[in-house]
Amino acid sequence: MIYRGTNGLPSLNQIQPLRSNLDPLNEYLGNENLKPSYTNELNLNFRSFSILTGEFYGIYINASRTKNALVQNTTIDSVGKTTFIWDNLNNNANNQISIRPMYYGILWKKYQLRHGGGPAISIGNNYNYVNNVLANAKFQTYSLSYGLQKSSTKGLDFGIEVSPGYVIQDNSIGMMEDSKGFTFSSNGEFKYFLPAKFVLRTEFNYIYQAPTAVYSKKFERFVLSPGLSKKFMKDEKLELTFMINDVLNQNIGFERNQNGTLLTERRFNTIGRYYMVKLSWEINKMLVKSK
């Protein structure tokens, strides 16, 4: 069990930001009366591993409560101009709790096949002001992960994980849209051991987020990175690898966030497809002098 208490200090921009005339329809004001927030955080972890059966059990619980939170007050006037200012949240608190039990074990000992996973739940709420009216934004995230792994350094080895989920974002102000939708993610790696110490490999990552009442379009991204490597020396510690990162050139920068009643979707540039040659040497010898 771990308890942590931390202060959240207002930033310089929240106290007195530099005024800008570049966007007259969005104005940011400073608040010199802001006070620090205080967050109480509690972590409860339990883990158990059996060497004889190769099974792992665990549960992770995290809970936090922020008092005097720094929240944004958004005001929209009759001509459509939006004014942003930060305030302290009084008489209410931002809360969050997440629970994740886990299990990993041997599925098929003959083929060294392991599997495991578990559900994850995160529930919480946070506040902000819209036209000086206090709004409560609640969020719920549910997911279930399952992974399958084979590791024998002969023939085909792989590790793959899938995680379907469902996200709910509700707002207390009736005119604000709620956002509910299905999500899915998967990642993995495949290796095939060839003669003469060659290894053919590929890594992948897939993300899908369904359209919602707020986001009218789905988001989908599949990143595939194949490669070929060869090991040298008797102990195989020297390895030369040629790989192609994002061979399909699909690596789109993307994220969706909730801050109070404000739901945002952001897309940005990332490093796309490139080729790389890597030479690595594994060092695992302990440098200890004998007496």
Side-chain angles (χ1 to χ4, degrees), residues 219-250:
F219 174 77
E220 194 172 18
R221 180 179 66 200
F222 180 64
V223 178
L224 181 67
S225 302
L228 178 67
S229 64
K230 176 176 173 56
K231 293 185 177 182
F232 298 91
M233 303 175 64
K234 185 179 296 185
D235 55 9
E236 300 185 358
K237 292 183 178 181
L238 185 65
E239 185 176 31
L240 180 65
T241 303
F242 170 75
M243 66 166 292
I244 306 174
N245 181 74
D246 186 21
V247 66
L248 303 177
N249 206 28
Q250 298 292 312

Side-chain angles (χ1 to χ4, degrees), residues 141-194:
T141 303
Y142 305 94
S143 65
L144 177 65
S145 63
Y146 178 76
L148 195 62
Q149 181 186 37
K150 177 181 177 292
S151 179
S152 63
T153 67
K154 292 181 180 180
L156 178 65
D157 278 3
F158 62 87
I160 183 171
E161 184 178 46
V162 296
S163 182
Y166 195 77
V167 177
I168 303 173
Q169 297 172 320
D170 294 324
N171 297 300
S172 63
I173 298 182
M175 66 179 179
M176 304 294 292
E177 291 279 9
D178 297 334
S179 178
K180 305 175 183 180
F182 173 76
T183 65
F184 181 82
S185 65
S186 178
N187 61 82
E189 179 183 21
F190 293 88
K191 294 181 181 179
Y192 191 80
F193 295 87
L194 300 169

Side-chain angles (χ1 to χ4, degrees), residues 48-56 106 109 114:
S48 176
F49 177 72
S50 173
I51 298 178
L52 296 177
T53 63
E55 291 182 316
F56 169 84
I106 298 175
K109 189 174 182 180
R114 299 177 59 85

Side-chain angles (χ1 to χ4, degrees), residues 25-41:
L25 292 179
N26 293 281
E27 185 178 16
Y28 294 85
L29 303 178
N31 183 358
E32 61 183 9
N33 296 317
L34 287 178
K35 300 176 181 178
S37 64
Y38 191 81
T39 300
N40 297 282
E41 183 178 5

Side-chain angles (χ1 to χ4, degrees), residues 45-263:
N45 301 327
F46 171 78
R47 296 181 292 268
S48 176
F49 177 72
S50 173
I51 298 178
L52 296 177
T53 63
E55 291 182 316
F56 169 84
Y57 297 90
I59 183 169
Y60 303 87
I61 302 175
N62 173 270
S64 66
R65 181 177 179 86
T66 302
K67 297 181 179 180
N68 211 32
L70 300 170
V71 297
Q72 199 170 65
N73 190 344
T74 305
T75 305
I76 305 174
D77 63 17
S78 58
V79 297
K81 178 182 176 181
T82 304
T83 302
F84 303 91
I85 188 171
W86 289 86
D87 284 319
N88 287 109
L89 180 65
N90 298 317
N91 303 320
N92 291 284
N94 292 339
N95 304 285
Q96 182 269 335
I97 183 171
S98 60
I99 304 173
R100 185 179 184 184
M102 298 177 64
Y103 165 80
Y104 286 96
I106 298 175
L107 178 64
W108 200 343
K109 189 174 182 180
K110 179 180 178 181
Y111 296 100
Q112 299 188 31
L113 199 61
R114 299 177 59 85
H115 74 137
I121 301 174
S122 182
I123 301 174
N125 71 299
N126 50 65
Y127 293 86
N128 70 326
Y129 292 92
V130 179
N131 289 333
N132 295 315
V133 176
L134 183 63
N136 184 10
K138 301 177 181 179
F139 63 87
Q140 304 173 52
T141 303
Y142 305 94
S143 65
L144 177 65
S145 63
Y146 178 76
L148 195 62
Q149 181 186 37
K150 177 181 177 292
S151 179
S152 63
T153 67
K154 292 181 180 180
L156 178 65
D157 278 3
F158 62 87
I160 183 171
E161 184 178 46
V162 296
S163 182
Y166 195 77
V167 177
I168 303 173
Q169 297 172 320
D170 294 324
N171 297 300
S172 63
I173 298 182
M175 66 179 179
M176 304 294 292
E177 291 279 9
D178 297 334
S179 178
K180 305 175 183 180
F182 173 76
T183 65
F184 181 82
S185 65
S186 178
N187 61 82
E189 179 183 21
F190 293 88
K191 294 181 181 179
Y192 191 80
F193 295 87
L194 300 169
K197 300 181 181 180
F198 280 96
V199 180
L200 185 65
R201 64 181 70 205
T202 184
E203 298 177 1
F204 76 90
N205 180 274
Y206 175 74
I207 295 176
Y208 171 83
Q209 294 192 12
T212 68
V214 176
Y215 310 109
S216 59
K217 295 182 179 180
K218 69 176 183 179
F219 174 77
E220 194 172 18
R221 180 179 66 200
F222 180 64
V223 178
L224 181 67
S225 302
L228 178 67
S229 64
K230 176 176 173 56
K231 293 185 177 182
F232 298 91
M233 303 175 64
K234 185 179 296 185
D235 55 9
E236 300 185 358
K237 292 183 178 181
L238 185 65
E239 185 176 31
L240 180 65
T241 303
F242 170 75
M243 66 166 292
I244 306 174
N245 181 74
D246 186 21
V247 66
L248 303 177
N249 206 28
Q250 298 292 312
N251 190 19
I252 304 169
F254 172 87
E255 65 179 8
R256 287 175 178 172
N257 291 317
Q258 179 186 23
N259 182 13
T261 57
L262 181 64
L263 303 176

